[in-house]
Amino acid sequence: MAGVWVFKDGVTSLVQNPLAESQDASNHRVSGSLRRKVLVYVATDETITCYNDLEEKLLELGWKPYRGGAGLDAGGQQLPRQYHKSSSTLDLISLPHDFANFKTMHMYDIVVKNRNAFEVRDA
């Protein structure tokens, strides 16, 4: 099952191809223009544009870099950037090594784990 989970009006739904289509108010599918999404830090209304900015905010919220997620794997591929909360063994944020590969699904993962601190908005 591929797609993006979308949270709207308190309801979660899976959108199979969120960039190709959207739904209007009457629940009809409408072809739309490609909208770029951005991650926004709510406290300062700052758009996150690089990992340095994101890491600064995550550290303020109690997240710590996971040391096991740095460097290269056995095949020479970059391992993802990972952050965890020391108070919980279940919370883990895993991000692509390169910010150019930072996608909407990663943004929503951060939002879900930091509900009052971040938002995903249309650019």
Side-chain angles (χ1 to χ4, degrees):
M1 187 182 302
V4 174
W5 287 99
V6 176
F7 304 97
K8 184 175 182 179
D9 300 326
V11 178
T12 304
S13 60
L14 181 64
V15 177
Q16 295 298 328
N17 191 353
L19 297 178
E21 58 189 36
S22 61
Q23 293 184 344
D24 65 11
S26 59
N27 222 18
H28 292 88
R29 292 180 187 255
V30 178
S31 293
S33 61
L34 298 178
R35 289 192 213 172
R36 195 172 134 255
K37 302 286 187 183
V38 293
L39 183 66
V40 176
Y41 185 62
V42 175
T44 60
D45 206 35
E46 177 184 350
T47 299
I48 303 299
T49 58
C50 65
Y51 277 142
N52 287 339
D53 294 343
L54 178 59
E55 184 168 293
E56 177 184 325
K57 306 307 182 214
L58 290 174
L59 291 174
E60 289 175 11
L61 295 168
W63 291 90
K64 297 181 181 187
Y66 184 69
R67 298 295 174 211
L72 302 175
D73 67 9
Q77 298 290 323
Q78 289 284 350
L79 292 172
R81 293 173 178 256
Q82 295 180 320
Y83 299 90
H84 69 98
K85 281 207 168 182
S86 57
S87 61
S88 170
T89 57
L90 299 176
D91 287 332
L92 181 71
I93 296 174
S94 187
L95 306 171
H97 181 76
D98 187 0
F99 193 77
N101 297 325
F102 186 65
K103 306 286 185 212
T104 305
M105 68 178 185
H106 300 111
M107 295 178 197
Y108 280 113
D109 184 41
I110 292 169
V111 169
V112 166
K113 293 174 182 167
N114 300 279
R115 293 195 187 277
N116 298 321
F118 291 97
E119 290 181 352
V120 176
R121 298 181 187 165
D122 291 328

